[in-house]
Amino acid sequence: MAHGDTTGDFEKSPGWLDWYDGPSTPAFTLPEGAVDAHCHVFGPGGQFPYAPERKYTPCDASADQLFALRDQLGFERNVIVQATCHGADNRALVDALQRSNGRARGVATVRRDVTAEQLAELHAAGVRGVRFNFVKRLVDRVPTDSLEEIVAKIAPLGWHVVIYFEAEDLPELYGFFSSIPTDVVVDHMGRPDVTKDPDGPEFALFLQFMRENPNVWTKVSCPERLSVTGPRALDGEQHAYTDVVPFARRVVEEFPGRVLWGTDWPHPNLKDHMPDDGLLVDYIPRIATTPELQRQLLVENPRRLYWPESLNTQGA
Ligand SMILES: O=C(O)c1cc(C(=O)O)oc(=O)c1
């Protein structure tokens, strides 16, 4: 559905697909306290301008719209991840965190010259991690050189590192990623090529990476991005993205205490369709097949990373 061609003074990238208005109410009832652990806010561009170095200009997707989606789908909380279209300008993210009444925490993008004072401000707003993007179409240069410097600054705050990369780049980056001393969260299972065998060497390397590095977690998210044969989460489809299921299910079953799930709303850069987020939620029980796995994936694991203080008090 179109949300207008302009966002503030910005014109959307050609062919941009807007997020899906009016998602269905999921058939799957989320466990109480469920966290959507990967979603974004875009602008609004008129208030929070997109970064000059961005690789795409999205449609606006405001904090209020995100919170409405949260309530409609049945999540209690969000983890909002800084999108590359905002570069290292975290103002839209911080604004959303501050208006969430404690129901959102964040992952920011910072530059190597970030000061302790700036980090303290981000922490007070609810930021608990920094994101590094190694997907070449999204950044001018991969952040290998700045990562170590930034990690030294954020580690004392107890923050973790989120990395986004593609499966074909893991062999080259394996040693570097293994050297990160903090917790590490890999976006979207390191983007496996799901036309390949889930038992084949490419995905085996990712599983080995998680096995050898007990500080590494992953988001078993974005089937809509990884899927090649679908079917798409549209028009009531209850078995969407069947080709991604064996990959995600494998990870959930081997590493039940180190997996997270998120909608990825508003789904930047999708090219051929925009999913109904209610049907995306209905995908969850196909990859986390028992109530216990679902509770770990959706409640316990995100709380351990983003609201650890809530685990110290009984029943919080
Ligand atoms: O694959 C993508 O295009 C994409 C982009 C971004 C971003 O621009 O931050 O975030 C994501 O999680 C996925």
Side-chain angles (χ1 to χ4, degrees):
M1 196 162 296
H3 295 270
D5 293 334
T6 57
T7 59
D9 292 333
F10 300 97
E11 195 158 321
K12 291 186 286 189
S13 297
W16 185 262
L17 293 183
D18 295 351
W19 45 275
Y20 186 92
D21 252 342
S24 51
T25 298
F28 172 59
T29 306
L30 290 163
E32 204 179 319
V35 180
D36 175 352
H38 185 94
C39 49
H40 311 283
V41 288
F42 296 154
Q47 192 181 356
F48 302 112
Y50 298 109
E53 72 273 24
R54 69 192 178 281
K55 298 292 178 225
Y56 61 87
T57 307
C59 71
D60 288 336
S62 72
D64 288 340
Q65 288 163 329
L66 174 64
F67 299 152
L69 180 77
R70 173 198 69 198
D71 295 345
Q72 154 99 30
L73 299 181
F75 286 100
E76 187 185 279
R77 304 176 190 206
N78 296 110
V79 178
I80 308 175
V81 176
Q82 175 75 351
T84 56
C85 58
H86 280 295
D89 177 349
N90 296 292
R91 280 177 296 170
L93 168 68
V94 165
D95 173 73
L97 298 178
Q98 288 172 338
R99 290 195 297 111
S100 74
N101 294 321
R103 291 173 69 185
R105 291 249 151 112
V107 175
T109 296
V110 299
R111 302 275 179 245
R112 65 198 323 163
D113 60 357
V114 67
T115 65
E117 195 184 351
Q118 288 165 334
L119 290 175
E121 278 170 22
L122 290 170
H123 191 86
V127 171
R128 295 294 181 266
V130 280
R131 188 182 200 204
F132 295 91
N133 218 307
F134 292 81
V135 175
K136 294 174 189 109
R137 76 185 149 81
L138 293 172
V139 284
D140 287 325
R141 39 203 288 278
V142 294
T144 320
D145 52 345
S146 59
L147 188 143
E148 278 175 35
E149 237 171 282
I150 292 171
V151 167
K153 293 185 184 188
I154 58 105
L157 293 162
W159 290 11
H160 61 270
V161 166
V162 175
I163 48 178
Y164 189 24
F165 63 86
E166 298 185 308
E168 62 183 25
D169 295 321
L170 182 57
E172 192 190 327
L173 292 164
Y174 193 104
F176 178 65
F177 289 157
S178 299
S179 72
I180 301 174
T182 60
D183 279 335
V184 173
V185 180
V186 177
D187 279 339
H188 320 324
M189 297 187 289
R191 293 194 62 112
D193 175 348
V194 301
T195 63
K196 294 185 178 162
D197 184 354
D199 294 319
E202 188 179 272
F203 202 54
L205 188 71
F206 180 70
L207 296 172
Q208 181 193 323
F209 176 57
M210 289 200 66
R211 228 172 268 141
E212 283 183 355
N213 295 283
N215 59 325
V216 173
W217 302 46
T218 193
K219 295 172 193 163
V220 286
S221 46
C222 275
E224 75 286 6
R225 213 176 263 299
L226 303 174
S227 179
V228 176
T229 54
R232 301 161 167 183
L234 285 171
D235 304 322
E237 176 60 62
Q238 280 295 314
H239 292 91
Y241 312 126
T242 301
D243 51 346
V244 190
V245 169
F247 293 83
R249 194 167 158 175
R250 183 80 178 262
V251 177
V252 170
E253 286 174 2
E254 184 167 349
F255 309 102
R258 291 193 269 145
V259 283
L260 303 167
W261 192 86
T263 55
D264 191 39
W265 186 88
H267 310 284
N269 299 315
L270 289 187
K271 295 290 178 234
D272 63 356
H273 75 292
M274 186 51 64
D276 170 342
D277 294 278
L279 296 171
L280 264 187
V281 169
D282 289 339
Y283 165 88
I284 298 173
R286 299 172 57 226
I287 61 165
T289 53
T290 67
E292 177 55 19
L293 288 173
Q294 292 160 7
R295 208 183 48 77
Q296 285 182 278
L297 175 67
L298 297 162
V299 184
E300 199 177 299
N301 298 342
R303 282 200 181 209
R304 271 188 14 245
L305 264 190
Y306 292 97
W307 284 271
E309 70 281 5
S310 76
L311 299 172
N312 298 333
T313 33
Q314 202 96 49

